[in-house]
Amino acid sequence: MPEQGRPDEDALKTHIPHSARVWNYLLGGKDHFEADRRAAEHSIGLKPDMAEQARADRGFLGRAVRYLAGPEKIRQFLDIGTGLPTAENTHQVAQRVAPGCRIVYVDHDPLVLAHARALLTSSPEGACHYIDADLREPDGILAQARTLLDFTQPVAVMLVGILHHVEGADASHAIVRRLMDAVPSGSRLVVNHPTSVVHGERSENSARMWNESGGRPTVTLRTPDEIAAYFDGLDLAEPGVVSCSRWRPDPAIAEPEVDAFCGVGRKP
């Protein structure tokens, strides 16, 4: 019998590498299986900066949330594609700045669900909730989120490291439009997404290996222009769509450019 509150191995499909668990491995976490570790090490062999990219992605998340909860005074976050909890999760960063922030996490991986329920706990002044739902069904996410967030006030829609798992430009754009149409003026869209403009063939080979290995979900790389198109109709915050390591970096820390581009946009 599985431990209470923890999914069994059949549900987890531990023999198949999963992106959330691979990312957890790259970030130095402990929630992964042998198939995930093999896939991560193979990716590192093809693209040695994979762990560096994972850290840059996480760094962007922290800086974006601090910016939104701080000077932009956003108090509600809808974080879709949560991934496995690690250090500096969205609610921890936001509530450190403004303890009353409300955060709703969304994912549909059973291991993420088990860990989120156990570890993603709010400050007393704020709130932290978890929705078990799939990005490909935005109406279901919105229906549940409306019971937890006030959709008459701005919401930061966080799509960090998730849109590349949606195949097809039309499908991914339709999801973003549906989510942003549902939130009021002043809401924000936060996106980061892998590309191949920095390391070219190395990044493309890594993505192809993942897809051919049966890893789940599959990966689609997009160009910076394609990533920028998610912000059509929004006001982009400076410095626009750039490598994650270049978005409002700490001037005291020199980080190389990585093959993940990001941006933050405001709904007029």
Side-chain angles (χ1 to χ4, degrees), residues 245-264:
S245 58
R246 299 292 189 261
W247 197 91
R248 302 186 180 216
D250 182 341
I253 302 174
E255 295 186 44
E257 195 172 26
V258 297
D259 253 335
F261 274 50
C262 64
V264 176

Side-chain angles (χ1 to χ4, degrees), residues 129 137 152 171 206:
H129 301 279
E137 299 175 356
T152 69
S206 179

Side-chain angles (χ1 to χ4, degrees), residues 40 43 65 75 131 136 143-144 171 235 239:
S43 293
V65 171
R75 296 294 179 262
I131 294 174
R136 294 170 183 80
Q144 294 185 71
D235 299 324

